[in-house]
Amino acid sequence: MGRPRRTGVTPTGNPRQEILDAAARLFADQGYVATTMSEIAKTVGLGQSSVYYWFRSKEDLLLALAGANRESLEVARRLAARSTPPPEHLYAVLYADVLQMCRGALDFYDLERAAHAQPEFFAEILADYGRLRAELEAIVDAGMRSGDFAAGDARTATAACLAQTEGMQHRFRTPTPDDAQRGPALTEPVTAARLAATAALRALLADPARSPEVERVALAALEA
Amino acid sequence: MGRPRRTGVTPTGNPRQEILDAAARLFADQGYVATTMSEIAKTVGLGQSSVYYWFRSKEDLLLALAGANRESLEVARRLAARSTPPPEHLYAVLYADVLQMCRGALDFYDLERAAHAQPEFFAEILADYGRLRAELEAIVDAGMRSGDFAAGDARTATAACLAQTEGMQHRFRTPTPDDAQRGPALTEPVTAARLAATAALRALLADPARSPEVERVALAALEA
DNA sequence: ACGGGATTTCGATGTCTCGTCGAAATCTCC
DNA sequence: GGAGATTTCGACGAGACATCGAAATCCCGT
């Protein structure tokens, strides 16, 4: 019901979901900035202004798509949050996090940019990120105290870990000129996740030789 | 000479350079996308359209600013390119690269975005990046053959290294909500460079215990 | 059957940004 | 004093996000 569409296309299912799907696809393919509301509207058979009946703004679309990931991320993180030794714990959290980011439709940096511009609108996303950072910092700190990790500044080390995992996520979804010629260097999300988590682990471990064993245990725990 | 400015401000020095300085500052503070040509024009006392007398487009500004960094980057890299063992070589190249990116006015990702949208316009930048990647891949490959690095896929490992260093660079210049509360976690470019280079090195070394010594040697070589 | 209300879409419009174009104002030099 | 070069301006166009009122349809009570 409602006024019929100019295109003649009658809405089959949930228009809101169709818009979300189209936006997810376009954002993933071209990036958030390069995607226009007209494009999104066109792919679902609507006029540009009609999208605003379902979403207040382009950023609202971003927020909705980000929220979709949030839940499964929580689940993965809670799975890993059982009282495990810091090295395995760190590995599991980072691995799950990168995996989630790579599989989602949104580039983390797009989200970050939007959140930076409108902090109150993206308050939940920012709070989520803050919790992740705090959790990681606690793990790093615990590991440094226990001697598993080399002594140092937990906060700086945590920031570095996150920065590098985010970079990995971005490169996974954004091809370089070299990728265009030889095919993508990072093909699977699990590859990116494993590389990022292992690198962080080895950077922190007091005895990096333990890293294969830690990785093995953490991955086994994540399977369950 | 030329028509006087509406603002009454007479150009003191080189208008082109003044525009570049203003753009560098604004890009660094707010990011490329969030900065408007009107803002840039206003800070140098020009009308919006007058900036286009000195630069063809906003992207041209980006290109000019990127070019300014390019030279010193070449120098740093050539310094490190002397025939050194792969571990030290890798460390030196990554360290110099991150340092350069952190000190420059531009976020690497802004540059990447623009280059992706207009490859021919940013051809030199893209070629530069390709050379860096190829050089790193050669180092990684050599290290894997010599046994210094653990065996694996050189291309993937190189992509991961670069992805993580770029992420570090981005986080260095873009504060998180946590940074706003407690002050920036990464304060000095050298800190970011050291963390990124060390992490990459330890991720690759067959015997990560060598990393402190490699780091020491590489940093000493860079001093000279 | 008919009219009121709710739902969904449209078209027109406003604002902002990048970028273009021709005109205007100034200086230099003849 | 005038021709040409240099630099700036103001007006304008295109494209994007967003708003608003009107229009088209369906549902429901009478």
Side-chain angles (χ1 to χ4, degrees):
Chain A
M1 95 191 208
R3 174 171 171 170
R5 299 185 181 176
R6 202 115 190 74
T7 59
V9 179
T10 6
T12 63
N14 183 353
R16 193 181 155 89
Q17 191 55 48
E18 288 175 17
I19 293 173
L20 279 177
D21 293 342
R25 169 111 198 206
L26 289 167
F27 288 170
D29 286 356
Q30 322 172 344
Y32 174 75
V33 182
T35 303
T36 71
M37 293 299 267
S38 289
E39 271 178 299
I40 297 170
K42 194 170 188 180
T43 62
V44 297
L46 278 176
Q48 177 257 348
S49 68
S50 301
V51 177
Y52 288 85
Y53 176 76
W54 300 98
F55 295 91
R56 274 202 203 95
S57 64
K58 195 181 175 186
E59 278 173 345
D60 201 20
L61 271 172
L62 201 64
L63 190 60
L65 287 173
N69 295 4
R70 222 160 57 90
E71 290 182 25
S72 51
L73 184 53
E74 284 298 326
V75 171
R77 203 172 299 152
R78 215 165 304 160
L79 270 177
R82 300 182 181 156
S83 60
T84 41
E88 284 83 359
H89 198 173
L90 175 91
Y91 188 96
V93 170
L94 287 181
Y95 182 89
D97 210 50
V98 174
L99 207 54
Q100 184 60 41
M101 284 197 289
C102 287
R103 284 179 174 159
L106 302 177
D107 187 327
F108 173 83
Y109 292 137
D110 285 336
L111 208 51
E112 177 184 46
R113 217 178 267 264
H116 187 75
Q118 303 221 347
E120 61 297 328
F121 191 72
F122 289 90
E124 291 195 25
I125 302 293
L126 289 172
D128 260 15
Y129 185 73
R131 277 193 292 275
L132 169 61
R133 200 205 45 70
E135 183 184 341
L136 268 178
E137 187 172 328
I139 297 172
V140 171
D141 192 57
M144 285 178 174
R145 290 178 196 281
S146 71
D148 288 318
F149 296 154
D153 178 28
R155 184 165 174 237
T156 305
T158 304
C161 275
L162 277 173
Q164 293 179 295
T165 58
E166 291 152 11
M168 188 75 86
Q169 170 267 168
H170 176 75
R171 183 53 67 222
F172 171 76
R173 59 172 9 109
T174 304
T176 65
D178 184 52
D179 290 334
Q181 290 176 5
R182 302 201 275 161
L186 294 166
T187 54
E188 294 299 318
V190 290
T191 307
R194 195 170 43 70
L195 283 168
T198 305
L201 178 66
R202 288 169 68 111
L204 284 170
L205 276 180
D207 173 17
R210 287 176 55 198
S211 101
E213 176 63 11
V214 170
E215 181 170 2
R216 201 186 55 74
V217 171
L219 284 176
L222 278 176
E223 289 294 325
Chain B
M1 98 189 208
R3 174 172 170 171
R5 299 186 179 176
R6 201 102 186 87
T7 58
V9 178
T10 3
T12 63
N14 183 352
R16 192 181 156 89
Q17 191 55 48
E18 287 175 19
I19 293 173
L20 278 177
D21 293 344
R25 170 112 198 204
L26 289 168
F27 288 170
D29 287 355
Q30 321 172 345
Y32 174 74
V33 182
T35 303
T36 70
M37 293 298 268
S38 289
E39 272 179 299
I40 297 170
K42 194 170 187 179
T43 61
V44 297
L46 278 176
Q48 176 257 348
S49 68
S50 301
V51 179
Y52 287 85
Y53 176 77
W54 301 98
F55 294 92
R56 275 203 200 94
S57 65
K58 195 180 175 186
E59 279 173 343
D60 201 20
L61 271 171
L62 201 63
L63 191 59
L65 288 173
N69 294 5
R70 223 159 55 90
E71 289 182 27
S72 50
L73 183 53
E74 285 299 324
V75 172
R77 205 172 297 153
R78 215 164 305 162
L79 271 177
R82 302 186 180 153
S83 60
T84 41
E88 283 83 359
H89 198 174
L90 176 92
Y91 187 96
V93 170
L94 288 181
Y95 182 90
D97 210 49
V98 174
L99 206 56
Q100 186 58 44
M101 285 197 289
C102 287
R103 284 179 174 161
L106 301 177
D107 187 327
F108 173 84
Y109 292 138
D110 285 335
L111 209 52
E112 177 185 45
R113 219 179 266 263
H116 187 74
Q118 303 220 348
E120 61 295 330
F121 191 73
F122 289 90
E124 290 195 25
I125 302 294
L126 289 172
D128 260 15
Y129 184 74
R131 277 193 291 275
L132 169 61
R133 198 204 45 69
E135 183 183 341
L136 268 178
E137 188 172 327
I139 297 172
V140 171
D141 192 57
M144 284 178 174
R145 290 180 197 279
S146 71
D148 288 318
F149 296 154
D153 178 29
R155 183 165 174 237
T156 306
T158 305
C161 275
L162 277 173
Q164 292 178 296
T165 57
E166 290 152 12
M168 187 76 85
Q169 170 265 169
H170 176 75
R171 185 52 67 223
F172 171 76
R173 61 173 6 110
T174 305
T176 65
D178 183 53
D179 290 334
Q181 290 175 5
R182 301 202 274 160
L186 294 167
T187 54
E188 294 298 319
V190 290
T191 306
R194 197 171 41 71
L195 283 168
T198 304
L201 179 66
R202 288 170 68 113
L204 284 170
L205 276 179
D207 174 17
R210 287 175 56 198
S211 103
E213 176 62 11
V214 169
E215 180 169 3
R216 200 186 56 75
V217 172
L219 284 177
L222 276 176
E223 290 294 325

